[in-house]
Amino acid sequence: MSQTTQTRNAIVAALRAVPGIGAVHDHEPYANQNTTLRALYVVQTDEGEQLRGWYVRRVGFRVVRNGGGLPRVFTSWQIRGFMALSEEAGTEHAFDALIDAVRAAFDVDPTIGGAVMSTLSADGEVGAQLTASGPVMFAGVLCHAADLTLITETIE
């Protein structure tokens, strides 16, 4: 199994351990029909069915070699989440709590179960960083959306 696959699997496992996270995909699912795409993200909650889910995508990497040592690889991962928006139910606060729980999952385990050396970027940022959050239309549903970036460091 490649280092990329091991790291992706570890990130997905960390996300799936977050209570109430919803559906978690190890890639960005696509579908020609909104109903098909929506079905990939709908989960059962205490309040009934709700669109609530996340995906993980590798978006880039940097390779650094100091002298004759093994290369250090800093990989950028996008973690993107969606949750159906309901003003009446106050879902913005619930979604913010999920975002914070995702960040905390990587704060408490910066090696993601030993899959990586660290989640410390070369710039000194640690763990999952929220880069954008706001309402979007997703699969025909008005949703909250969040983009987080996670930098992982591995030796290859």
Side-chain angles (χ1 to χ4, degrees):
M1 181 182 316
S2 74
Q3 181 64 55
T4 299
T5 300
Q6 288 177 331
T7 302
R8 181 190 310 271
N9 290 346
I11 294 168
V12 168
L15 290 171
R16 287 182 176 154
V18 173
I21 194 74
V24 178
H25 301 280
D26 67 357
H27 67 286
E28 181 178 2
Y30 291 96
N32 290 333
Q33 302 287 326
N34 275 340
T35 54
T36 305
L37 182 59
R38 188 178 314 125
L40 296 171
Y41 285 87
V42 170
V43 296
Q44 189 66 38
T45 68
D46 292 340
E47 295 80 32
E49 287 189 346
Q50 182 187 42
L51 188 151
R52 182 187 295 203
W54 300 74
Y55 68 79
V56 175
R57 169 191 287 285
R58 182 176 71 162
V59 293
F61 59 82
R62 291 183 28 226
V63 181
V64 178
R65 185 183 307 247
N66 294 334
L70 294 173
R72 295 170 50 205
V73 181
F74 295 90
T75 304
S76 299
W77 299 91
Q78 178 187 40
I79 301 171
R80 187 147 209 234
F82 303 96
M83 187 170 103
L85 190 152
S86 169
E87 183 62 30
E88 298 79 27
T91 53
E92 183 172 347
H93 296 288
F95 192 62
D96 277 346
L98 275 178
I99 293 168
D100 291 342
V102 167
R103 180 184 53 83
F106 295 103
D107 286 350
V108 299
D109 186 6
T111 67
I112 322 173
V116 302
M117 289 182 55
S118 75
T119 55
L120 177 66
S121 76
D123 300 330
E125 294 178 339
V126 64
Q129 305 293 313
L130 179 64
T131 56
S133 180
V136 298
M137 288 299 292
F138 178 73
V141 177
L142 181 61
C143 291
H144 303 283
D147 290 315
L148 292 90
T149 299
L150 180 70
I151 306 296
T152 58
E153 178 187 1
T154 55
I155 300 289
E156 295 182 17

